[in-house]
Amino acid sequence: MILDKGAMQSNLETFLDCTTPVVPSQFLPKSEIRNLNRLWHPWEREKIEYFTLADLWNCFDEWSAYGAGVPICLDDGETLVQYYVPYLSAIQIFTSNSPLNGLREETDSVSETRDSFSDSFSDESESEKLSRWDGCSSEDGGFEQESLWLPNDRLGSLYFQCFERSTPYGRVPLMDKISGLAQRYPGLMSLRSVDLSPASWMAVAWYPIYHIPMGRTIKDLSTCFLTYHTLSSSFQDMDLEDETGRAERKRKDVEGMWLPPFGLATYKMQGDVWVSGRDGQDQERLVSLLSVADSWLKQLRVQHHDFSYFTGIRRG
């Protein structure tokens, strides 16, 4: 199949479009808007759009089973479809204290405390002491869970976090992972984006499985991607995309909340399939998204294992 490459968006843009979840959404009743945390929702709005985490995970259901198909245009004008399977790489969910008291009953008692976690969303410079809860464990050591109690309401309390450490071959697709975790942590299904602080985020690792038509050996088709997404409604009015306006066009085409990645890292990017478009803008965008992801992790003082592996960074 031969297509006019000049009339198409770049391969990088296509990948980001094809792997961005568009979540069914609804609007918060006006009677509930006034009860929102004003530190997290400081803007006066007549309408607040939100989604449930359960609906977000459903966006990954088919992708987890069959892979997300990404049409890729090669240098010779031929196109093929590369399929990627999503895996939960990391997630942190920060909430208010009050709505989750019942959910926290499953956790064990405090086992240790530690310092040196700074609130990047606060004007305060001092670090807050945190309490670590060993309420979640994994047989394969793939994740750890903490609940953090902070005097600063901007960050909130860390209800749940998961950092995958297993090798790609030892992981299960995102939907299967979430389904297993939600049996112990029901907030993974019941929480809404308006319940989450601006610090809530997740990272999804995308690994290639096969392409159609088969038979072509192309180095860049082994590239793996790591996308970072906000989980909070606090950013719903912010355009995280570039000046091309793709975000706005996508919102008009599909009903729901579109969650484009605010950060990105890649692994095994060896050729120019992903950076050959837009007169160098793809390369600039990759550098920018990588920088934002790195800054985000540093602000939260998070050790994200996949990010370190993808980039070769070893944090002290």
Side-chain angles (χ1 to χ4, degrees), residues 6 11 34 39 57 69 80 111 124 138 158 165 184 204 220 235 241 252 254 257 259 284 288 296:
N11 289 328
R34 61 175 176 267
L39 292 175
W57 310 135
L80 52 78
S111 60
E124 298 180 4
S138 174
L158 182 54
R165 294 185 178 91
R184 293 190 62 192
V204 180
D220 256 354
F235 300 116
E241 285 294 299
K252 291 179 180 178
V254 182
M257 296 185 71
L259 303 182
E284 293 176 3
S288 176
W296 179 265

Side-chain angles (χ1 to χ4, degrees), residues 245-260:
R246 293 189 307 112
E248 188 61 33
R249 292 201 302 271
K250 186 84 171 185
R251 292 189 188 102
K252 291 179 180 178
D253 293 339
V254 182
E255 291 293 330
M257 296 185 71
W258 191 44
L259 303 182

Side-chain angles (χ1 to χ4, degrees), residues 58-259:
N58 284 337
C59 293
F60 291 90
D61 191 13
E62 185 172 335
W63 292 340
S64 296
Y66 306 108
V70 180
I72 297 173
C73 185
L74 306 178
D75 288 337
D76 59 6
E78 182 184 357
T79 62
L80 52 78
V81 179
Q82 176 70 54
Y83 287 84
Y84 289 84
V85 172
Y87 297 85
L88 181 66
S89 175
I91 186 171
Q92 287 187 311
I93 297 178
F94 292 86
T95 66
S96 298
N97 289 334
S98 53
L100 294 177
N101 291 334
L103 299 178
R104 290 199 185 94
E105 292 177 357
E106 295 186 20
T107 60
D108 301 329
S109 59
V110 175
S111 60
E112 62 178 301
T113 61
R114 71 180 185 183
D115 298 321
S116 74
F117 188 109
S118 65
D119 179 5
S120 62
F121 297 95
S122 170
D123 294 330
E124 298 180 4
S125 59
E126 67 270 21
S127 298
E128 309 290 356
K129 283 202 171 184
L130 309 175
S131 297
R132 177 179 177 183
W133 295 67
D134 288 332
C136 183
S137 61
S138 174
E139 294 180 357
D140 62 4
F143 67 94
E144 59 186 24
Q145 193 270 348
E146 298 176 357
S147 287
L148 308 183
W149 299 89
L150 297 173
N152 193 303
D153 291 332
R154 281 186 179 271
L155 191 62
S157 296
L158 182 54
Y159 164 66
F160 179 80
Q161 76 172 5
C162 165
F163 293 97
E164 184 63 79
R165 294 185 178 91
S166 303
T167 63
Y169 298 104
R171 304 183 184 188
V172 295
L174 187 146
M175 191 63 183
D176 299 314
K177 183 75 171 183
I178 290 293
S179 296
L181 294 174
Q183 293 181 14
R184 293 190 62 192
Y185 301 95
L188 290 174
M189 292 295 181
S190 62
L191 285 168
R192 308 170 301 175
S193 58
V194 287
D195 302 323
L196 309 184
S197 91
S200 301
W201 63 283
M202 72 169 179
V204 180
W206 299 88
Y207 294 111
I209 49 176
Y210 62 88
H211 55 265
I212 299 175
M214 303 289 287
R216 297 292 300 272
T217 301
I218 302 170
K219 289 183 178 180
D220 256 354
L221 295 187
S222 63
T223 302
C224 307
F225 294 88
L226 192 60
T227 59
Y228 290 78
H229 308 262
T230 180
L231 298 176
S232 172
S233 290
S234 299
F235 300 116
Q236 73 176 55
D237 288 341
M238 296 179 63
D239 189 354
L240 299 178
E241 285 294 299
D242 57 22
E243 68 278 2
T244 61
R246 293 189 307 112
E248 188 61 33
R249 292 201 302 271
K250 186 84 171 185
R251 292 189 188 102
K252 291 179 180 178
D253 293 339
V254 182
E255 291 293 330
M257 296 185 71
W258 191 44
L259 303 182

